[in-house]
Amino acid sequence: MVLESFGVGEGDVPTVMLHGFLGTGRNLRSLAAAWSAADPRRRFLLPDLTGHGSSPALPASADLFTLARDVVDTARAQGISGPFDWVGHSLGGRVSLAGSLHVPEAVRSVTLLDITPGPVPGDLSESGKVLGVLLQAPPRADNRRAMRAELTGRGLSEPLADWLLMNLVTQPDGVKWRFDRQALAELHSRVNGTDLWEAVERQGRPPMRCIRGGKAKYVSDADAERMVAAGCPVATLPDAGHFVHVDAPQALLEWLMQEA
C-alpha cells in the first residue's frame, strides 16, 4: 500500500522519518528541514503512517509489520530502491524495529526517538490517554472551535487539542475526523503489546541507536541498560519529554548528526 508522503532535501542518502500515534508526517517536518540544511547529503521521506493523516485506512487486523511493509512500498514508489535509514518517534520507532525484522533488506539503520522495544504498559502510554479522550469526543462538530472545546472540556491541554485538530476535515455542515478512531484504538492496543526485543538483540541486525527524553517514561533505565548491553547506544535529553523533537530540537539535531 502506498502512503501519503512528502519529501525534504535532494541528497543521495535516503532517510525515512516516521511520526508517532495519531500524528502525521508534518509533525517531523521542522526536524527534517533542519537536518537537511545541516546535512545536504540526505534525502528525507515523511509518510503519514497507514490509518493516519491522508493515508489509506487501516486494514482489518493491521499490526506493526503491516505498517512497516507500507512504508517500504511507499519508499519504493518514490524511487528509493535500496536500504534506507529509518528514524521513528514513538509508534514510528516501533514500526522501524518491525521493519528491521520483516523487511531487513530495506533497513540500513534504525534510530529510535523516545521509545522502547518492549511492550508499553497501558498506564505509561500518553497516547492511550489522548485516545481515550478522542473516543469520547463527538464524530463531528459545527466548527473547529466547538471540537476544541469538546477536547479541552474532557481534560486535554490546549496544545494537545490543537495537535489533534489537525486531523479534522471541513465539510459543508461542519468538521469531522479524518481517521477511523475505533480502528486506531484497536491498532493501539495491538502495537503497544508487541515485544520487539528480538529486533535489537539478534545477531546481524543493522546499526541501532536511541535517544530518550529525561522527563518521559517510555524508555526506563532498565530498558536503556538492556539496549546498551545489546550494542544499541542510548542518549538522554534531560529537559525533554516524550516529544523530543519539539522539546529539544537543537540538541536532538546535534545528536542525530553524529555518525552512529
Side-chain angles (χ1 to χ4, degrees), residues 90-164:
S90 200
L91 170 62
R94 295 177 70 76
V95 172
S96 301
L97 291 173
S100 77
L101 288 171
H102 282 252
V103 280
E105 69 281 358
V107 183
R108 194 177 82 154
S109 72
V110 172
T111 296
L112 303 173
L113 306 183
D114 202 64
I115 196 62
T116 176
V120 179
D123 59 345
L124 280 187
S125 175
E126 296 175 23
S127 57
K129 296 167 188 160
V130 175
L131 178 62
V133 172
L134 181 64
L135 290 171
Q136 294 169 13
R140 64 164 302 283
D142 290 340
N143 51 52
R144 300 175 74 85
R145 183 181 299 174
M147 189 66 84
R148 188 177 195 264
E150 292 281 358
L151 297 175
T152 56
R154 288 174 167 82
L156 276 196
S157 68
E158 292 183 357
L160 264 180
D162 289 339
W163 177 67
L164 276 182

Side-chain angles (χ1 to χ4, degrees), residues 39-244:
D39 185 1
R41 298 174 307 146
R42 289 192 179 267
R43 171 195 173 190
F44 295 93
L45 182 67
L46 291 85
D48 293 351
L49 290 169
T50 318
H52 292 72
S54 299
S55 281
L58 286 161
S61 302
D63 57 17
L64 287 169
F65 311 113
T66 310
L67 272 60
R69 285 190 293 269
D70 291 345
V71 168
V72 175
D73 288 348
T74 304
R76 300 298 183 238
Q78 293 297 326
I80 299 173
S81 57
F84 48 90
D85 295 325
W86 296 54
V87 180
H89 173 245
S90 200
L91 170 62
R94 295 177 70 76
V95 172
S96 301
L97 291 173
S100 77
L101 288 171
H102 282 252
V103 280
E105 69 281 358
V107 183
R108 194 177 82 154
S109 72
V110 172
T111 296
L112 303 173
L113 306 183
D114 202 64
I115 196 62
T116 176
V120 179
D123 59 345
L124 280 187
S125 175
E126 296 175 23
S127 57
K129 296 167 188 160
V130 175
L131 178 62
V133 172
L134 181 64
L135 290 171
Q136 294 169 13
R140 64 164 302 283
D142 290 340
N143 51 52
R144 300 175 74 85
R145 183 181 299 174
M147 189 66 84
R148 188 177 195 264
E150 292 281 358
L151 297 175
T152 56
R154 288 174 167 82
L156 276 196
S157 68
E158 292 183 357
L160 264 180
D162 289 339
W163 177 67
L164 276 182
L165 293 180
M166 294 168 65
N167 292 292
L168 288 176
V169 290
T170 302
Q171 298 185 307
D173 61 344
V175 294
K176 72 165 192 173
W177 296 108
R178 186 194 308 272
F179 44 42
D180 181 333
R181 294 177 293 168
Q182 193 55 49
L184 284 169
E186 293 169 7
L187 176 74
H188 187 262
S189 59
R190 202 174 295 128
V191 303
N192 272 11
T194 304
D195 188 322
L196 294 159
W197 278 110
E198 179 191 355
V200 178
E201 295 178 331
R202 77 188 192 282
Q203 294 293 317
R205 63 158 174 77
M208 295 182 177
R209 57 181 176 166
C210 174
I211 194 164
R212 60 178 180 163
K215 294 182 177 179
K217 298 178 180 178
Y218 278 86
V219 183
S220 68
D221 290 344
D223 285 347
E225 291 172 9
R226 185 172 172 181
M227 280 191 268
V228 170
C232 173
V234 179
T236 303
L237 296 173
D239 296 325
H242 182 50
F243 291 87
V244 288

